[in-house]
Amino acid sequence: MIREVRNDRDIREAIEINLKTLPEHYPEFFWRENASLWRDLFLVGEVDNRIVGYSMSRIEIDEGFFKSDIVRRGHVISIAVLPEYRRRGIGTALMTETMKRMKEKYHADEIMLEVRVSNYPAIELYKKLGLMIVRIIPRYYRDGEDAYVMAKPL
Ligand code: COA
């Protein structure tokens, strides 16, 4: 089941999953701020009442990748699923619900995210959902790895 974060416990679970699964971590206030500003874009995936994945996104105003204009853009800041729950469609469900909400609730024109160029599973997931590589940001990550920016019109 995919749902919004409801309380501090949910946020702490998301932080725990992030610590276990990704090298990019954020201070607690950043998670809390996102939960208060963009609660309906901060989602968790539950299996048997256990939170096993999350996605955290927000809306930004920026130059469009697909229109030469200023657009409303949904930005996926972080998404992860616990290793033992992968390949069951939870990442897809988190992304699909996020895109739906970005479009219907915020009238976002596009969705975008950054991903490590070596992160094959994530790149495959995003491609399957129709996101395209629109840019490379050299040395985007702290360890010097490049990022692909992937995006899709909504
Ligand atoms: N190898 C190849 N393709 C993969 C893959 C892998 N290891 N994992 C996912 N995919 C692709 C497949 O096309 C898959 O469809 P299929 O299972 O029918 O073949 C599709 O993505 C959907 O997979 P899904 O089960 O919905 O994704 P998931 O729940 O396993 O979550 C991630 C995907 C990326 C969120 C998960 O691997 C993860 O948490 N990784 C660590 C954190 C991370 O890298 N986050 C992204 C940061 S940008």
Side-chain angles (χ1 to χ4, degrees), residues 21-108:
T21 55
L22 278 165
E24 286 71 48
H25 305 139
Y26 312 96
E28 201 169 317
F29 74 80
F30 182 76
W31 294 88
R32 288 187 192 293
E33 188 178 81
N34 277 284
S36 71
L37 292 175
W38 312 106
R39 181 166 298 259
D40 45 9
L41 296 179
F42 191 165
L43 306 178
V44 292
E46 274 184 326
V47 176
D48 301 330
N49 288 321
R50 181 183 178 202
I51 293 180
V52 300
Y54 72 88
S55 65
M56 180 169 70
S57 308
R58 64 186 174 206
I59 303 291
E60 298 164 351
I61 306 294
D62 211 334
E63 232 171 88
F65 289 112
F66 303 99
K67 281 190 219 166
S68 55
D69 205 351
I70 299 296
V71 300
R72 207 186 293 255
R73 174 192 290 162
H75 185 175
V76 181
I77 301 163
S78 188
I79 174 170
V81 174
L82 287 174
E84 58 273 33
Y85 290 91
R86 289 180 192 162
R87 298 307 283 269
R88 298 189 189 188
I90 297 167
T92 302
L94 287 165
M95 284 292 295
T96 305
E97 184 63 25
T98 295
M99 290 193 285
K100 182 170 180 269
R101 287 170 179 234
M102 285 174 171
K103 187 179 161 119
E104 289 177 3
K105 296 193 165 189
Y106 293 97
H107 308 291

